[in-house]
């Protein structure tokens, strides 16, 4: 069906830090130049630019696409920015895919950038206005509410304990110790550390949560005939899928992310995947909170409903396990500059499939991986399946 | 293009200065219902992907895409939001169809400009936060500076800019969708309150509320759905630099680049001869002239005289903004570009009522994202 | 792997307090007055009257709350407003110790999704719980709205102070 096969041919990123001296534009440039350098291209070789960046309120700039454009290499080129909240980083790859698969462009530079630190006194301020302007905002909600409400619904439905879930945070923060861009890598963290951390909005505690971060990631995508000239190790986009559920989130069953399942099914169909648990060798599901990794593994049909915690406890999702999950260290370990964090996941699969992940390389030469992001009011799933 | 793409359904919620009776969701719903009826489709069954166009600060809601799916029939379906102009959203839909994986894609944009109480502040928020914003000037001053430079470089007379306003708001009198129809004279326009000289108040498009929804389909699906598909022949978009310090002030390079891309795709070599009429961004009056030149529809410096001679009037040799443009219909924020496209579709379908152009076969729509940006998008359509 | 990572400059708090880096500040002036529209406009008017209402979908027959002009699943217009009870069941809850800017609260807030009686199963709204100890809150707990006195109600979701347990 796919008339134009699309490959990822290069990737680069900035270090993820609590507060960068660079402006948003400069961070975008740093990541974009690293990505171009990685595949020995220059901006002249790029036909179009896709920007991924989450709410404008972080940077405090209206029409952020335009502001970021120069830093992303957009001068004189077609530039588009798409947006689905936290799902944006993986959506930007889907957008890069449709730019190339349409046959209009041969090469696309995809840049995801987030500078959360510019929003003072706390970036959470950008999230106050995500709630319904009339029926919810007057209640004084904050972002942690929705995660806490969802986590509680998930734990209660499947009888999971805080300890079951804390294992995810420990795994990812330990994995991140091997990531040169990571902000919160910690080889010695324990479950007790997570369980004893400050309670923010029960059941959410501080170490259940990924940190506020500045950073940028970029990848280069190319049509097949060009990709083969650029590299002898192209990583193919085998499937893409995305899905947005109703905004009436208080009307939904929060214990299961149906929208992630729908997005995954769309991607699996395109990739010809019928048994995801067998045919996918490595996964980077979205983990802004530890329970989300479990939630998403189930939505991606990699584990049965309510069973991802058990798999985690058995070590199946460790880097040397049967299905390595978040070998990068994820958002919990590497950091969470929203859209850039999700693109980091795609870059991780790219590096793992090419055998370039260094100390994080999973054993057994994986052939196919999946990256997934999530966002909005617990509402959107974005999925990319990559293969070699 | 390797696959044909057509617009098979259009819907709108009429453009008005205020819309206190409807929430933005209800406005979008009205436009969507109309578009689906027009296309003869059921969104819950037939649509493969939904594209909305919106900016958080125009909505007063962070991560606004959250609130887009329900009123379009898109809940639990592929949806994404483009933070650009409506024609950028159209481009996203066209690309999806061209991949061969999507047959019907919906595009939506809207404006609830009347709900924004602090417009100039929001617009100022789009300027570089470190270099430019601390100077605390009204962002329309950027348009004033650009207009002066454009007039100086091309020798265009002020009266030509005023004539754009007279023409467009006059055309709007024939358009039931338009919010700002008026019978004005050149003297009225030039004599109105100065905003950022040489820009006067009547040369700036006033805001309006409204929504537009399009249903797009691939060639085979389009032919099955309707006997009057409007074909998208070419589409293009481009950004110049956002930096005030290093942009070309007299010319609209983004319009040149965007239209060249669209013309290339459409196989158009001589736009002036091959295109019958255009809907071109006129959110400031001089912009219509500057854009006509950048779009290759006339030579640099020619658009003003052309306008004064009446060539771009409804009855002229090359009608521009028969709808009334943004000056006549209203500035619809992110929806402004889709309003331009809507008029091109209505004209090509022969549904433009009293302002219908005779024998129009190929039309161009062009949008600009407004100050302080330098990005634009163009689309060529035919019947 | 390191070669793909750009070493951006990481700042510390001292870089700011000791003036080693310069910065620009700006307080946004972003004010809005949103049109509530038909469905939510009616919802707010009924809240002012001390009543919760939902809407009925003629296609799937569900009663939906908060009200909307259309059923998003069936994509048909609703055919009327339906009075609901001001009681319901806790679907999920949190005990929140921090404000949006991460400042700790002296008394935690208890946000909850509450399925409203009279609406179809699973139709919840976001609100707060009160007159209950945090450790006593349970999923499945029955609750009732505590309204502001009529003269203090303005037509807002906050016309309900909170929901409290039904003994
Ligand atoms: Zn229904």
């Amino acid at each position: 069906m796919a008339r134009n096969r699309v490959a990822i041919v290069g990737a680069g990123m900035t270090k993820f830090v609590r507060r960068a001296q660079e402006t948003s534009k400069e961070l975008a440039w740093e990541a974009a130049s690293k990505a171009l350098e990685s595949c020995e291209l220059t901006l002249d070789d790029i036909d179009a630019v896709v920007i991924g960046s989450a709410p404008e309120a972080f940077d405090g700039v209206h029409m952020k696409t335009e502001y970021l454009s120069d830093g992303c290499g957009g001068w004189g080129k077609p530039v588009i920015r798409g947006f689905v909240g936290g799902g944006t980083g993986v959506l930007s790859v889907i957008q890069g895919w449709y730019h190339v698969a349409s046959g209009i462009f041969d090469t696309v530079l995809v840049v995801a950038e987030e500078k959360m630190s510019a929003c003072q006194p706390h970036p959470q301020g950008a999230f106050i206005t995500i709630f319904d302007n009339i029926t919810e905002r007057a209640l004084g909600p904050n972002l942690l509410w929705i995660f806490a409400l969802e986590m509680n619904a998930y734990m209660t439905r499947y009888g999971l304990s805080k300890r079951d879930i804390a294992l995810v945070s420990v795994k990812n923060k330990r994995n991140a110790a091997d990531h040169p861009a990571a902000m919160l890598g910690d080889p010695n963290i324990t479950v007790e550390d997570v369980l004893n951390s400050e309670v923010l909005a029960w059941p959410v505690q501080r170490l259940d949560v990924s940190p506020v971060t500045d950073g940028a990631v970029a990848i280069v995508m190319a049509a097949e005939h060009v990709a083969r000239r650029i590299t002898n190790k192209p990583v193919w986009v085998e499937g893409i899928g995305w899905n947005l559920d109703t905004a009436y989130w208080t009307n939904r069953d929060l214990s299961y992310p149906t929208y992630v399942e729908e997005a995954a099914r769309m991607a699996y169909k395109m990739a010809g995947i019928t048994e995801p648990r067998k045919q996918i060798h490595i996964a980077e599901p979205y983990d802004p909170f530890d329970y989300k990794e479990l939630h998403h593994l189930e939505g991606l049909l990699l584990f049965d409903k309510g069973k991802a915690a058990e798999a985690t406890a058995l070590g199946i999702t460790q880097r040397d396990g049967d299905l390595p999950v978040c070998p990068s260290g994820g958002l919990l370990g590497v950091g969470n500059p929203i859209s850039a964090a999700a693109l980091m996941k795609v870059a991780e699969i790219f590096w793992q499939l090419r055998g370039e992940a260094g100390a994080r390389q999973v054993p057994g030469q994986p052939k196919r991986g999946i990256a997934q992001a999530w966002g909005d009011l617990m509402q959107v799933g974005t999925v990319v399946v990559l293969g070699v | 293009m390797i696959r044909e793409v057509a617009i098979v359904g259009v819907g709108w919620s009429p453009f008005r200065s205020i819309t206190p009776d409807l929430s933005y969701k209800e406005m979008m719903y009205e436009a969507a219902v109309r578009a689906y009826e027009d296309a003869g489709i059921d969104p819950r069954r037939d649509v493969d992907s939904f594209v909305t166009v919106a900016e958080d600060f125009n909505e007063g809601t962070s991560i606004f895409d959250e609130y887009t799916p329900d009123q379009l029939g898109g809940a639990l379906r592929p949806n994404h939001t483009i933070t650009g102009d409506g024609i950028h959203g159209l481009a996203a839909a066209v690309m999806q169809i061209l991949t061969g994986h999507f047959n019907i894609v919906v595009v939506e944009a809207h404006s609830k400009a009347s709900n924004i109480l602090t417009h100039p502040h929001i617009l100022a928020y789009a300027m570089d936060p470190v270099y430019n914003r601390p100077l605390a000037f009204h962002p329309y001053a950027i348009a004033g500076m650009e207009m002066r430079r454009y007039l100086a470089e091309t020798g265009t007379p002020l009266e030509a800019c005023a004539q754009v306003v007279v023409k467009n708001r006059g055309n709007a009198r024939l358009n039931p969708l338009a919010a700002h129809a008026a019978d004005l004279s050149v003297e009225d326009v030039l004599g109105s309150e100065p905003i950022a000289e040489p820009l006067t108040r009547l040369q700036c498009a006033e805001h309006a509320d409204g929504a537009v929804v399009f249903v797009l389909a691939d060639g085979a699906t389009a032919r099955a759905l309707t006997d009057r598909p409007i074909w998208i022949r070419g589409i293009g978009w481009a950004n110049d630099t956002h930096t005030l310090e290093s942009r070309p002030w007299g010319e609209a390079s983004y319009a040149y680049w965007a239209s060249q891309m669209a013309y290339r795709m459409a196989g158009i070599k001589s736009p002036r001869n091959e295109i019958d009429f255009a809907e071109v961004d006129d959110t400031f009056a001089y912009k219509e002239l500057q854009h006509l030149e950048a779009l290759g529809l006339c030579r640099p410096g020619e658009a003003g005289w052309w306008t004064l001679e009446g060539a771009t009037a409804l009855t002229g040799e090359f009608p521009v903004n028969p709808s009334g443009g943004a000056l006549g219909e209203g500035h619809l924020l992110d929806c402004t570009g889709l309003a331009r496209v809507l008029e091109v579709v209505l004209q090509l379908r022969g549904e433009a009522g009293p302002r219908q152009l005779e024998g129009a076969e190929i039309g161009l729509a062009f949008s600009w994202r407004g100050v302080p940006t330098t990005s634009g998008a163009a689309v060529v359509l035919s019947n | 792997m390191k070669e793909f990572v750009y070493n951006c400059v990481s700042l510390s708090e001292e870089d700011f307090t000791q003036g080693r880096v310069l910065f620009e500040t700006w307080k946004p002036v972003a004010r809005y007055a949103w049109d509530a529209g038909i469905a939510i406009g009616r919802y707010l008017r009924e809240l002012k009257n001390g009543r919760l209402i939902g809407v009925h979908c003629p296609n799937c027959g569900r009663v939906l709350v908060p009200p909307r002009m259309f059923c998003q699943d069936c994509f048909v217009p609703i055919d009327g407003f339906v009075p609901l009870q001001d009681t319901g069941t806790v679907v999920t809850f949190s005990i929140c110790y921090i404000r949006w800017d991460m400042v700790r609260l002296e008394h935690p807030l208890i946000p909850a999704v509450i399925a409203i009686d009279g609406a179809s199963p699973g139709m919840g709204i976001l609100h707060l719980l009160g007159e209950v100890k945090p450790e006593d809150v349970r999923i499945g707990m029955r609750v009732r709205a505590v309204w502001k006195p009529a003269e203090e109600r303005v037509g807002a979701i906050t016309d309900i102070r909170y929901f409290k347990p039904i003994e």
Side-chain angles (χ1 to χ4, degrees):
Chain A
M1 179 79 179
R3 41 201 81 213
N4 299 309
R5 279 181 92 194
V6 181
I8 301 178
V9 295
M13 67 189 292
T14 68
K15 256 177 94 75
F16 284 4
V17 297
R18 173 66 185 83
R19 185 159 191 174
Q21 183 170 22
E22 286 85 344
T23 64
S24 310
K25 242 191 256 196
E26 290 165 344
L27 283 171
W29 175 82
E30 291 177 353
S33 59
K34 275 287 173 192
L36 288 170
E37 199 183 294
S38 79
C39 52
E40 296 174 355
L41 295 181
T42 70
L43 205 47
D44 290 342
D45 302 311
I46 297 297
D47 295 340
V49 171
V50 171
I51 302 176
S53 199
E56 335 279 292
F58 282 150
D59 295 76
V61 178
H62 174 44
M63 299 200 276
K64 190 157 80 168
T65 322
E66 318 301 330
Y67 170 64
L68 289 175
S69 175
D70 286 358
C72 297
W75 180 77
K77 295 189 195 300
V79 176
I80 273 188
R81 171 171 159 237
F83 189 59
V84 280
T88 300
V90 172
L91 176 80
S92 66
V93 181
I94 294 171
Q95 289 193 283
W97 169 83
Y98 70 57
H99 274 66
V100 176
S102 72
I104 299 179
F105 304 104
D106 284 338
T107 52
V108 174
L109 177 62
V110 177
V111 187
E113 178 279 339
E114 217 73 67
K115 187 170 166 91
M116 299 172 74
S117 65
C119 188
Q120 296 289 328
H122 196 281
Q124 296 287 356
F127 291 117
I128 299 176
T129 53
I130 70 169
F131 292 89
D132 187 275
N133 54 0
I134 297 175
T135 59
E136 291 171 351
R137 235 174 269 177
L139 297 169
N142 70 56
L143 183 72
L144 286 172
W145 284 18
I146 59 171
F147 289 102
L149 293 168
E150 187 180 65
M151 183 170 175
N152 192 4
Y154 177 58
M155 287 170 64
T156 306
R157 165 64 71 89
Y158 298 111
L160 303 174
S161 70
K162 289 287 321 263
R163 183 172 292 271
D164 296 331
I165 290 172
L167 288 171
V168 173
S169 196
V170 171
K171 167 177 72 72
N172 291 3
K173 287 176 196 290
R174 286 185 181 180
N175 282 352
D178 295 322
H179 200 304
M183 183 174 150
L184 282 188
D186 181 351
N188 302 313
I189 191 169
T190 65
V191 171
E192 303 309 323
D193 293 335
V194 180
L195 295 178
N196 294 330
S197 64
E198 182 190 10
V199 179
L200 301 175
W202 188 89
V204 173
Q205 293 174 257
R206 181 158 310 264
L207 292 182
D208 292 319
V209 190
S210 58
V212 165
T213 315
D214 291 353
V217 180
I219 62 169
V220 179
M221 302 178 77
E224 180 165 16
H225 64 283
V226 180
R228 292 199 188 279
R229 286 207 304 270
I230 296 171
T231 175
N232 53 11
K233 285 194 293 184
V235 172
W236 303 104
V237 177
E238 296 187 343
I240 52 101
W242 73 106
N243 197 283
L244 182 63
D245 205 345
T246 170
Y248 297 102
W249 63 278
T250 54
N251 294 172
R252 280 194 265 122
D253 175 5
L254 299 178
S255 68
Y256 184 72
T258 308
Y259 45 89
V260 172
E261 180 182 330
E262 292 289 326
R265 286 188 185 281
M266 178 173 169
Y268 293 158
K269 191 174 164 204
M270 192 169 149
I273 291 174
T274 48
E275 290 181 279
R277 179 67 183 83
K278 287 197 185 122
Q279 292 168 281
I280 287 171
H281 307 140
I282 174 173
E284 281 278 343
Y286 204 55
D287 63 326
F289 290 63
D290 44 14
Y291 79 95
K292 292 300 302 182
E293 173 170 313
L294 305 174
H295 215 218
H296 293 148
L297 285 171
E298 293 164 19
L300 292 170
L301 308 173
L302 294 171
F303 295 102
D304 291 342
K305 288 183 188 177
K307 297 294 182 204
E310 198 180 302
T312 304
L314 291 171
I316 291 172
T317 61
Q318 292 288 344
R319 208 182 271 150
D320 56 358
D322 192 39
L323 178 68
V325 174
C326 290
S328 66
L331 279 52
L332 288 161
V334 187
N336 186 12
I338 314 287
S339 65
L343 190 55
M344 178 276 286
K345 288 180 166 292
V346 176
E348 178 72 8
I349 301 287
F350 171 76
W351 286 318
Q352 290 283 357
L353 297 183
R354 281 164 58 114
E356 292 175 349
R360 300 187 317 288
Q361 187 63 47
V362 306
Q365 294 178 324
K367 292 278 176 285
R368 188 185 277 132
I370 190 167
Q372 173 257 336
W374 161 98
D376 293 359
L377 287 166
M378 305 170 288
Q379 192 182 359
V380 66
T382 47
V383 172
V384 171
V385 176
L386 301 177
V388 287
Chain B
M1 290 198 267
I2 47 176
R3 199 179 191 213
E4 293 174 303
V5 182
I7 293 177
V8 297
V10 297
W12 59 85
S13 181
F15 313 144
R16 290 176 284 158
S17 305
I18 55 168
T19 48
D21 48 333
L22 298 175
S23 68
Y24 70 86
K25 282 188 188 174
E26 290 161 353
M27 216 166 60
M28 287 166 69
Y29 180 68
E30 181 184 358
V33 167
R34 214 171 257 176
Y36 301 150
E37 235 160 62
D38 187 37
I41 60 161
D42 171 0
R44 301 302 290 154
R45 188 192 60 206
D46 302 325
V47 177
D48 298 315
S49 172
F50 297 81
V51 177
T52 53
V53 181
E55 284 281 359
D56 286 358
F57 278 106
N58 285 342
E59 308 293 341
T61 291
S62 224
I63 319 189
F64 180 76
D65 73 284
E66 293 166 355
Y67 295 99
T68 57
D70 299 307
Q71 55 275 26
L72 298 177
L76 209 58
R77 297 282 188 281
N79 286 259
H80 71 292
T81 295
I82 298 293
T83 53
D85 174 76
I87 300 182
H88 289 110
L90 204 63
V94 168
M95 285 189 277
Q96 288 177 66
I97 291 175
L98 289 178
T99 66
H101 288 271
F102 304 83
N103 291 333
I104 298 185
V105 180
V106 164
V107 182
E108 181 273 350
H110 65 272
S111 157
K112 260 287 190 183
S114 69
N115 287 186
I116 305 175
L117 303 181
T118 52
H119 263 295
H121 291 275
I122 301 290
L123 213 49
Y125 219 45
M127 297 204 281
D128 186 289
V130 178
Y131 295 136
N132 302 140
R133 213 188 283 161
L135 297 173
F137 57 81
H138 193 296
Y140 278 18
I142 296 170
M145 290 193 282
E146 192 181 68
M147 176 175 175
R148 193 179 291 283
R149 182 79 201 183
Y150 166 73
L151 297 183
E153 278 182 19
T154 58
T156 302
L158 272 177
E159 289 71 21
C161 300
Q163 183 56 35
V164 169
V165 183
V166 173
K167 167 178 71 74
N168 290 3
R169 294 191 66 171
N171 287 353
R173 289 181 300 168
L174 302 175
N175 182 355
L177 280 182
H180 300 298
D183 188 7
L184 296 171
S185 69
V186 166
E187 292 69 35
D188 293 336
V189 176
L190 294 179
S192 63
E193 180 191 8
I195 295 294
E197 284 185 339
L199 199 60
T200 58
R201 181 167 294 283
L202 288 176
Q203 295 177 58
C204 311
E206 288 177 50
H207 287 105
D209 296 353
V212 175
V213 172
F214 289 141
V215 180
L216 273 65
D218 69 284
T221 308
R223 287 189 179 87
L225 283 170
T226 175
D227 50 12
R228 46 168 196 183
I230 301 303
W231 300 102
I232 294 178
R233 298 290 182 190
I235 190 160
W237 60 103
N239 278 27
D240 198 343
T241 181
H242 179 265
T243 313
L244 295 180
E245 289 75 8
S246 57
R247 61 172 61 178
W249 282 88
E251 62 195 74
S253 337
Y254 54 91
Y256 174 75
W257 292 324
S259 61
Q260 288 299 310
M261 177 178 164
Y263 296 158
R264 211 163 41 239
M265 208 181 290
I268 286 178
K269 297 196 174 56
S270 169
R272 168 87 166 260
N273 295 324
E274 294 176 62
I275 296 171
D276 300 319
F277 70 103
E279 281 278 323
V280 171
D281 175 88
D282 62 332
T283 45
F284 299 104
Y286 76 95
K287 275 295 191 185
E288 175 169 315
L289 306 176
Q290 191 196 33
H291 287 150
L292 285 173
E293 294 166 10
L295 296 168
L297 295 167
C298 56
R299 281 189 295 276
E302 200 180 62
W305 303 104
W306 217 31
T307 303
L308 287 170
E309 285 162 13
T312 58
L314 214 45
T315 51
E317 57 159 302
F318 190 91
V320 176
N321 287 323
S323 67
L327 288 161
E329 287 192 331
H331 190 315
L332 295 161
L333 303 178
D334 319 312
C335 183
T336 311
L338 288 195
R340 304 281 68 72
V341 180
L342 175 63
E343 175 70 6
V344 174
V345 173
L346 294 177
Q347 290 285 354
L348 293 174
R349 280 180 171 189
E351 292 176 357
R355 61 187 193 288
Q356 182 63 48
L357 306 170
E358 283 298 311
E361 288 173 0
I362 298 187
L364 168 73
F366 175 77
S367 68
W368 165 59
R369 292 213 66 204
V371 288
T373 82
T374 51
S375 64
V379 58
V380 178
L381 299 120
S382 75
N383 53 18
Chain C
M1 173 59 208
K2 269 203 171 63
E3 66 271 26
F4 309 129
V5 177
Y6 198 107
N7 262 320
C8 62
V9 184
S10 177
L11 299 177
S12 66
E13 197 54 41
E14 291 76 61
D15 289 323
F16 291 89
T17 51
Q18 295 174 12
R20 288 198 291 260
V21 291
L22 299 176
F23 56 93
E24 190 63 58
T25 59
W26 189 269
K27 200 170 164 50
V29 184
R31 288 200 302 272
Y32 306 86
W34 295 288
D35 297 318
I38 296 164
I40 293 297
R42 177 75 184 270
Y43 186 54
L44 298 181
R45 208 157 54 239
E46 293 296 342
L47 283 167
K48 194 165 189 299
N49 294 332
R51 286 192 292 262
L52 274 170
I53 57 159
V55 293
H56 179 260
C57 170
N59 194 57
C60 64
R62 291 185 307 165
V63 174
L64 313 166
V65 64
R68 57 213 76 166
M69 243 176 78
F70 47 83
C71 169
Q72 74 274 8
D73 285 358
C74 309
F75 206 67
V76 298
I78 54 107
D79 64 354
F81 292 87
V82 181
L84 305 176
Q85 280 94 68
D86 66 351
T87 53
T89 306
V90 172
V91 176
T92 183
F93 68 94
S94 169
I95 301 157
C96 187
Y97 296 90
I98 45 140
R99 212 169 56 185
W100 65 270
D101 51 0
M102 302 307 271
V103 172
R104 283 196 83 77
L105 298 167
E106 202 176 326
H107 303 289
L109 285 174
I110 312 178
V113 176
I114 299 154
I116 302 298
D117 292 343
S120 293
M123 288 294 132
I125 63 168
L126 177 68
H127 221 292
L128 298 163
L129 300 183
E131 294 183 44
V132 59
K133 283 196 216 121
E135 58 271 27
D136 292 341
V137 182
R138 292 286 176 272
I139 285 179
M141 191 167 80
R142 300 280 300 148
V143 291
R144 174 187 305 282
V146 175
W147 295 87
K148 285 181 180 169
E151 63 276 13
E152 285 179 31
R153 294 200 291 259
V154 296
I157 191 66
T158 45
D159 287 347
I160 296 175
R161 282 195 209 283
Y162 47 78
F163 285 72
K164 68 168 186 181
I166 299 174
E167 274 86 51

